[in-house]
Amino acid sequence: MSLPRLDVDEYGGDPERIADLIRRTWLVPSGPIRELVAWVERAGCIVVHCDFAALKVDGFTVQIPDMPPCIFLNRNMPADRQRFSLAHELGHVVMHQVPSPEMEDEANEFASALLMPARDVRPHLSGRRLTIQRLAALKPVWRVSMAALLYRAKRLARLPTTRASISGGR
């Protein structure tokens, strides 16, 4: 398994397309990714869980020439947040050789698309209203936070932009 370097600018500024290419390159099955750390490590990254409580940071990556990328994650964060942070940092490794003002948003979009591919998650986010109860039910399926599910729903245009669209289910 390889760790492709796919400059986001060469792919039309589309992190979702790059996430899809990564999943296809790695032969990741449809649906939620099981064992994300294992996939990332098989591709050549080193994943380290650290205590960053004092730093209040979710994660960061260190890339030294001729060395595998090292992704450090805050072990004090909930597991779903660690997964998103790992996917986010992977996005930086894959897409960003040079810093840019858009890179954090691009890494978030990459992480969302990697963890919740549009073709797989769309049926779960459409149809009925997206309530707190539905988000809570989807959280363990996709192994992401309810906030990540909301972000993805909004990106896929499955969610009106008004706050009133999210309710307690009444």
Side-chain angles (χ1 to χ4, degrees), residues 3 9-10 15 31 38 43 63 95 99 114 121 130 132 165 169:
L3 183 63
D9 293 331
E10 293 176 17
Q63 296 189 72
M95 299 186 299
L114 184 74
V121 78
L130 194 56
I132 297 296
S165 63

Side-chain angles (χ1 to χ4, degrees), residues 48-60:
V48 182
H49 292 85
C50 300
D51 186 347
F52 294 142
L55 297 178
K56 296 187 177 154
V57 62
D58 290 353
F60 64 89

Side-chain angles (χ1 to χ4, degrees), residues 130-139 146 167-170:
L130 194 56
T131 64
I132 297 296
Q133 289 83 358
R134 276 192 61 209
L135 290 171
L138 290 171
K139 177 181 163 110
M146 290 192 293
S167 70
R170 287 183 211 141

Side-chain angles (χ1 to χ4, degrees), residues 52-132:
F52 294 142
L55 297 178
K56 296 187 177 154
V57 62
D58 290 353
F60 64 89
T61 300
V62 175
Q63 296 189 72
I64 299 170
D66 300 320
M67 298 289 292
C70 292
I71 299 174
F72 296 90
L73 299 173
N74 187 347
R75 71 172 174 229
N76 299 308
M77 294 292 156
D80 54 13
R81 190 156 171 182
Q82 287 182 45
R83 279 173 53 84
F84 195 90
S85 295
L86 177 54
H88 174 100
E89 293 302 321
L90 177 65
H92 285 312
V93 171
V94 170
M95 299 186 299
H96 301 127
Q97 304 308 306
V98 178
S100 75
E102 300 83 23
M103 66 189 285
E104 292 305 316
D105 289 338
E106 290 168 348
N108 282 335
E109 191 173 332
F110 172 91
S112 274
L114 184 74
L115 296 172
M116 300 168 280
R119 68 186 166 276
D120 299 333
V121 78
R122 187 174 275 124
H124 297 273
L125 299 175
S126 59
R128 308 180 325 254
R129 280 184 13 191
L130 194 56
T131 64
I132 297 296

Side-chain angles (χ1 to χ4, degrees), residues 4 6 18-27 90 94 110 114:
L6 307 169
I18 294 172
D20 183 58
L21 287 170
I22 293 294
R23 284 182 72 113
R24 286 193 283 143
T25 299
W26 291 356
L27 303 175
L90 177 65
V94 170
F110 172 91
L114 184 74

